Amino acid sequence: MNQKVFDIFAEICKVPRPSKHEEQISRWLQSFAASHGIECVADEAMNVIMRVPATPGYEDREGVILQAHMDMVCEKNGDVAHDFMTDPIETYIDGEWLKAKGTTLGGDDGIGISMALAAITDPELPHPAIECLFTVDEETGLTGAMKLRDGMLRHKRLINLDSEDDGQIFIGCAGGIDTLAKMHYDPISLCQPEGRSVSEAVCQRSGLSGEAGLIAIRLSVGGLLGGHSGDDINKGRANANQILVWFLARIIPQTEVQLASINGGNLRNAIAREAEAVIAIPMAFKEQIRIEWNHFVAQMEQVFGAVETDMRLDLETTDMPETFIPADKAYRLVMALCECPHGMIAMSHDIPGLVETSTNLASIKMKQESQIQSVSPEGGLSAQRSVSDSGLSAERSYFVEVNTSQRSSKESSKHHLKWVVEQALSMACDEVTHGDGYPGWTPNTSSPLLDITRKAYIDLFKSEPKVLAIHAGLECGLFLEKYPYLDMVSIGPQMYGVHSPQECLSIHSTDRCYSWLCQILKTM
C-alpha cells in the first residue's frame, strides 16, 4: 500500500472545505507547494495550479494535467454534532474501507488531490511535465471550472481524478442545470385577526365542534441511503421528500390538515435521506390519520424495502406550532411537489447501461428573510436603509424553497426536463429560476490518452478496464469549452455512498488506482 497517499488524505481531512468555503484548503495547498519547492499559482476564484518539470529522460514527452476538486459535500446524520466550517473529518477503518464518523468522508474528491500530490512529490516516479489543477466549488456550481481563465493551462492532456469506480475509464459525462423555486406566503397565527382560532375555523369547515380542538403531529422519514444524484439515481433508492409529500397528498383531501412546516434534503446533488413535516388536524381525525399512516408505511416497505433496509417512517404527536401555511397555498405546494418528477427519466440508446436523463427533487426548506425598508412621511416605502437608521419598518418574508437538479447527456433533454419541472412547481411557486447549467462531455473513443490509460491498466493488472460515460457531472465539459483541444479521461478508486454519511473509500482500490496513475505517467 502506498502510505503517502493516505497520509496526505489524513492531512486534508483536518482542513474544512465545504463548497463555496474553500479558503482554508486553497491556502493549505499553496503551503504544501511552498514546502516542497513546487511552482504554484492561485487565481481569483481560489483555484490552485501547481507545476513540476519533467524528470530526467522525459523532457521531450508531452506534458499532462492532473485535475481534482477541493470542495466536499457536507452531509451528516441528524444525531451527529459536527460543524463542517471548523471541525475535522473523523475517519476510521472498517475492514478494508475508510469511513467517517456520522458524516461524509470527503473522499470525493480529497483522494483525487491526495493521489496527485503524492505523484508529483515522489522522487522515484519518472514522469513528463505535470500541472496539477485543483478547482473550487465543483459540487454546488462548478464555479472553479467556469472561472478558470484562458491560457492558465499549458498541456493538452488531462486526467480527471474524480471518478468512483474501480477499473473503469470514463470518457464522457452528463450536463446539468439546477432549478430553484420559491412559494411566498403570509403565516396564519393561532389567533386569527377576526378573533377565531385556527382550531375553531378548521373545525367549523369540517362540521365538527370547535371544542374538539386540534392536535399537532410530526411526520418524519429517515434512515434512507440517499447518495449521489447522478451515480445512484437509477438504483431504486427512495427520496425522503417524495415519500413525505405522497402521504400529505393522500390525507389533505380527506381531512382538514393544516401544514405548519415541511423540510427535507440538503444538497442539490444528493438524494434526500431525511424529511419531516408538522401538521395539525382536528382531534376527531387522529385515528383516521394513524390508520392511513400505517397503511402507507406498509406500502412504502413493499416498494422500497428491498433497497432501503433501514428506512424509518415515524408519526408522533408534538407541540402545537404557533403559525401555519395558509391552507390553499399548502394544498397547492403539496400537489406541485407530487407533480414534480424525480428519478431516472430515460436510458441512453447510444451507450448501453448509461442513464441519459434524470432529475432530483433535492431539498424543500422553510425560510424567512428580513426586508428592512424606510417609511416616508407619506406612508410610502423609500429605498432600503441600514437597520440603525431611524424611521425603519422591518418586514419578514416567509417562503418555502424547493431545489431540484436536472441531468442529461443530451442538451435538448436537459432543457426540456427543466421546463417540465418549472411547470410542475409553478402550480404553487410564485418564483421559479434556473441556473446557468453546465455542458456535458461528449465521448471520444479514438482518444490517444484513452489508449495510454487502457494499456497501462492491462500491463499492470492483466485484464481489460471498462470504458464508459458517466451520468454524474464532471468539470471536463467546461474545460473543453475553454480548451477545445484537450484530450481527457477520468479515473478514480472505488467509493460507495458518496454525498451521504455512508460514504466509504476502498483502501485496496485506492492503492490499485494510484499504481495505475503512476503507470500512466511512466508510459506516456
Side-chain angles (χ1 to χ4, degrees), residues 217-240:
I217 294 173
R218 176 180 287 106
L219 306 169
S220 60
V221 181
L224 303 183
L225 291 171
H228 193 292
S229 62
D231 285 346
D232 300 318
I233 203 71
N234 62 330
K235 295 178 180 175
R237 297 179 181 180
N239 181 310

Side-chain angles (χ1 to χ4, degrees), residues 229-461:
S229 62
D231 285 346
D232 300 318
I233 203 71
N234 62 330
K235 295 178 180 175
R237 297 179 181 180
N239 181 310
N241 294 328
Q242 199 172 41
I243 289 178
L244 186 63
V245 297
W246 282 346
F247 182 73
L248 291 172
R250 176 181 296 199
I251 62 173
I252 281 179
Q254 303 176 36
T255 61
E256 286 286 348
V257 172
Q258 294 291 128
L259 179 62
S261 65
I262 179 169
N263 288 282
N266 286 307
L267 303 170
R268 65 162 184 85
N269 51 7
I271 302 169
R273 298 179 299 107
E274 299 175 339
E276 74 166 37
V278 175
I279 61 174
I281 57 170
M283 189 72 73
F285 288 125
K286 179 181 177 182
E287 191 58 29
Q288 179 182 339
I289 292 291
R290 189 172 294 278
I291 292 171
E292 287 282 354
W293 181 255
N294 290 338
H295 286 316
F296 181 74
V297 170
Q299 291 168 357
M300 293 301 99
E301 288 175 347
Q302 278 187 328
V303 174
F304 297 112
V307 176
E308 300 287 0
T309 56
D310 295 322
M311 179 171 61
R312 300 187 311 274
L313 281 71
D314 297 320
L315 179 152
E316 60 183 353
T317 57
T318 188
D319 295 334
M320 184 63 66
E322 293 184 0
T323 61
F324 301 87
I325 301 173
D328 60 333
K329 283 185 171 282
Y331 176 79
R332 290 201 301 272
L333 175 66
V334 169
M335 295 307 164
L337 291 170
C338 275
E339 287 295 316
C340 186
H342 168 80
M344 183 182 69
I345 304 298
M347 296 293 291
S348 171
H349 294 292
D350 303 318
I351 302 176
L354 175 67
V355 178
E356 178 186 278
T357 306
S358 75
T359 182
N360 178 40
L361 180 56
S363 69
I364 307 166
K365 296 294 181 186
M366 303 279 287
K367 294 191 173 184
Q368 52 182 289
E369 58 188 14
S370 294
Q371 297 177 330
I372 308 297
Q373 296 173 304
S374 60
V375 182
S376 68
E378 295 77 19
L381 296 178
S382 62
Q384 290 188 349
R385 300 162 61 194
S386 69
V387 178
S388 60
D389 289 340
S390 59
L392 292 184
S393 172
E395 295 184 355
R396 195 165 290 277
S397 171
Y398 294 83
F399 58 95
V400 180
E401 182 179 274
V402 182
N403 273 279
T404 75
S405 65
Q406 291 69 241
R407 302 177 189 265
S408 183
S409 50
K410 292 186 175 178
E411 282 291 297
S412 58
S413 297
K414 179 180 75 177
H415 289 287
H416 172 73
L417 187 53
K418 97 177 175 188
W419 179 83
V420 171
V421 169
E422 177 181 340
Q423 295 307 303
L425 295 178
S426 293
M427 293 169 57
C429 298
D430 49 274
E431 183 180 330
V432 182
T433 57
H434 306 286
D436 294 331
Y438 55 91
W441 167 26
T442 303
N444 175 16
T445 55
S446 60
S447 154
L449 182 56
L450 170 61
D451 291 340
I452 293 169
T453 306
R454 177 179 164 273
K455 183 177 185 303
Y457 188 90
I458 295 171
D459 290 345
L460 267 183
F461 305 119

Side-chain angles (χ1 to χ4, degrees), residues 69 86 92 126 157 163 177 189 204 220 239 244 284 310 317 333 357 379 395 427 470 472 495 515:
H69 64 84
T86 58
Y92 68 98
R157 301 187 290 190
S163 294
I177 193 164
S189 62
Q204 186 180 61
S220 60
N239 181 310
L244 186 63
D310 295 322
T317 57
L333 175 66
T357 306
E395 295 184 355
M427 293 169 57
I470 190 172
M495 285 184 263
S515 297

